[in-house]
Amino acid sequence: MNKKVVLAFSGGLDTSYCAKYLSEVLGYDVYAVTVNTGGFSKEEEKELENKALILGVKEYRCVDAQEDYYNSCVKYLIFGNVLKNNTYPLSVSAERTIQAQEIAKFAIEVGADAIAHGSTGAGNDQVRFDLIFQVMCPDVEIITPIRDMALSREEEIEFLKSNGYEMEFQKAQYSVNKGLWGTSVGGKETLTSRNYLPEEAFPSQIKETQPSEMEVEFKNGEVVAVNGENFEHPVYAIQKIEELASAYGIGRDIHVGDTIVGIKGRVGFEAAAASVIIKAHHLLEKHTLSKYQQMMKSQLSDWYGNWLHEALFLDPVMRNIESFLVNSQKTVSGKVFVTLHPYRFILNGIESQHDLMSDEFGSYGEANRAWTGEDVKGYTKIVSNSLNIYHQINSAL
């Protein structure tokens, strides 16, 4: 019997090469698996299956991991208002971690001798896949033909043609990776430090130009309704917000950051739903959380985002931070009112029974109901005492 290899299959040139190489040259039975984290329609899934079978794989499976992706990762990115470098909602970083786990589970299920992916040696994904595989199935060999042989695109195409496989080999001008939590866009402009992506590079073109109102309702930090429509799972609420906000070209930007492999990287993205949800959620938290809850959340959320980005999702500290984030959301319920415009949105305000901005206790700059002027005089005298001592002793400095 041939050995079994599970291949992370996207249907692109690299994984198409891997499918043929693993079976024709290395003699494996190839089990191709695609993990849908929000990037494929049913029609696209069928096309991927047909492509995999034409390439000669023994078995193909598409795993729908959208709800698991949300439950295990995306909801914590919302709870933490996570934006890498205050910009990027970690669309691909989060996806790859979940995809790698699903592929590892499949490898264990079929009793695979090896597991393969099509990453090159230049990016973050190779680390994310390898690290998860080494933790979840440490006895399974990892094979990475593109990385190990440093193959060029032309070499891959020539091999496929010589093995009787024809596909549309013309390289797209922009590489696009679509998922539930955003779409990455790479092209010649993102390889520079100077140039922005042109309008046509973004998959979602502007369809709406007149402003419209959106009402986003949260319950314990999770989106449960949009414009009064309730959803059985937050995944579908996210998809609804994406549909409405992407029509305005909202959520576009370019992220510049430090890669896991130690170089600077630049990637374009559009993440309409993520942009609206994170900012709306953050506004609701400003009204419903204490000052120190917000301070601690901000620090822990930065660490959570960084460690997720750097492939450390399985470190137990991540579960510790998630427990904190869940506990912090007990009062984060209410409605956020948003106005959508081309390329931008406005957060108009919130309604919540947990709103701490209650005029029962005072109105900032207008009226105080819980203290007197004399109370403030005494408070400031005590608080300033340590500063007075410091400055009087060190007056000569």
Side-chain angles (χ1 to χ4, degrees):
M1 292 178 64
N2 292 336
K3 289 184 176 182
K4 298 178 182 178
V5 61
V6 167
L7 170 64
F9 186 74
S10 68
L13 176 61
D14 293 335
T15 57
S16 295
Y17 173 91
C18 289
K20 270 293 182 187
Y21 177 80
L22 291 166
S23 60
E24 298 293 333
V25 177
L26 299 188
Y28 280 95
D29 285 339
V30 180
Y31 292 73
V33 57
T34 301
V35 182
N36 184 7
T37 47
F40 302 110
S41 65
K42 291 298 181 184
E43 293 75 17
E44 289 167 329
E45 288 179 13
K46 189 62 180 176
E47 289 175 9
L48 284 170
E49 180 179 13
N50 291 337
K51 181 179 288 188
L53 295 174
I54 291 171
L55 284 162
V57 307
K58 184 176 181 65
E59 183 179 320
Y60 173 81
R61 181 182 296 184
C62 183
V63 178
D64 186 347
Q66 292 180 88
E67 291 190 12
D68 287 342
Y69 176 34
Y70 172 86
N71 294 335
S72 64
C73 188
V74 171
K75 75 175 180 181
Y76 300 111
L77 298 178
I78 297 172
F79 291 173
N81 308 310
V82 176
L83 291 172
K84 178 73 171 169
N85 288 5
N86 296 315
T87 304
Y88 180 48
L90 293 179
S91 309
V92 176
S93 315
E95 272 189 8
R96 292 294 182 262
T97 298
I98 303 306
Q99 289 167 345
Q101 290 180 79
E102 293 294 336
I103 292 162
K105 291 176 188 175
F106 184 68
I108 294 168
E109 178 187 328
V110 300
D113 300 286
I115 193 165
H117 60 87
S119 299
T120 69
N124 290 323
D125 287 346
Q126 59 178 328
V127 180
R128 293 174 181 137
F129 281 120
D130 281 11
L131 195 148
I132 295 291
F133 298 157
Q134 287 171 6
V135 172
M136 292 186 64
C137 42
D139 298 325
V140 176
E141 180 186 2
I142 300 172
I143 303 174
T144 54
I146 311 303
R147 175 176 65 183
D148 294 344
M149 294 186 286
L151 295 170
S152 69
R153 182 178 179 82
E154 289 70 28
E155 289 172 314
E156 293 178 55
I157 292 171
E158 183 57 36
F159 173 81
L160 286 169
K161 286 182 175 179
S162 66
N163 280 274
Y165 180 71
E166 291 289 340
M167 63 179 287
E168 178 53 63
F169 292 118
Q170 183 178 357
K171 186 176 182 180
Q173 188 174 0
Y174 294 96
S175 61
V176 175
N177 184 90
K178 183 180 180 182
L180 175 70
W181 204 231
T183 300
S184 66
V185 183
K188 61 182 180 179
E189 293 84 3
T190 58
L191 297 176
T192 74
S193 298
R194 169 67 179 83
N195 299 316
Y196 195 74
L197 289 164
E199 181 78 19
E200 61 270 17
F202 294 98
S204 298
Q205 295 294 294
I206 291 183
K207 303 172 185 174
E208 301 289 346
T209 57
Q210 296 303 309
S212 65
E213 304 302 315
M214 177 188 291
E215 177 189 292
V216 182
E217 184 174 352
F218 293 85
K219 182 177 181 180
N220 301 129
E222 299 188 73
V223 182
V224 295
V226 180
N227 293 339
E229 180 183 357
N230 294 297
F231 295 88
E232 64 182 34
H233 192 280
V235 161
Y236 309 111
I238 291 170
Q239 291 172 344
K240 183 64 175 181
I241 294 172
E242 180 70 27
E243 174 191 336
L244 296 173
S246 63
Y248 287 90
I250 287 169
R252 298 176 176 182
D253 209 338
I254 290 183
H255 165 60
V256 183
D258 298 287
T259 67
I260 305 172
V261 293
I263 59 176
K264 294 285 186 183
R266 196 166 181 250
V267 63
F269 66 91
E270 60 173 29
S275 299
V276 171
I277 291 169
I278 286 175
K279 291 301 183 182
H281 176 265
H282 191 200
L283 176 61
L284 186 58
E285 284 194 329
K286 290 178 185 179
H287 283 264
T288 58
L289 296 186
S290 75
K291 173 170 62 175
Y292 297 113
Q293 281 180 300
Q294 293 179 71
M295 289 174 65
M296 287 305 300
K297 273 188 75 273
S298 178
Q299 294 175 52
L300 289 174
S301 297
D302 278 347
W303 282 113
Y304 188 86
N306 282 328
W307 286 330
L308 174 62
H309 175 264
E310 297 187 358
L312 296 175
F313 182 76
L314 294 182
D315 192 292
V317 73
M318 299 292 274
R319 310 293 80 78
N320 301 145
I321 296 175
E322 288 166 1
S323 296
F324 175 91
L325 292 173
V326 168
N327 188 271
S328 74
Q329 300 300 294
K330 290 179 179 179
T331 61
V332 187
S333 298
K335 298 177 180 179
V336 182
F337 304 98
V338 184
T339 303
L340 305 177
H341 295 268
Y343 303 111
R344 64 187 179 93
F345 59 93
I346 298 171
L347 300 175
N348 297 306
I350 68 106
E351 285 181 359
S352 172
Q353 63 178 355
H354 302 290
D355 189 358
L356 299 177
M357 190 177 161
S358 171
D359 61 9
E360 179 182 347
F361 304 101
S363 181
Y364 178 67
E366 297 292 332
N368 53 299
R369 297 188 175 92
W371 67 90
T372 68
E374 290 302 314
D375 292 333
V376 177
K377 291 177 184 178
Y379 170 77
T380 53
K381 187 166 186 176
I382 292 171
V383 172
S384 66
N385 190 44
S386 63
L387 291 173
N388 279 329
I389 294 170
Y390 176 88
H391 285 286
Q392 288 180 43
I393 289 176
N394 297 294
S395 60
L397 294 179

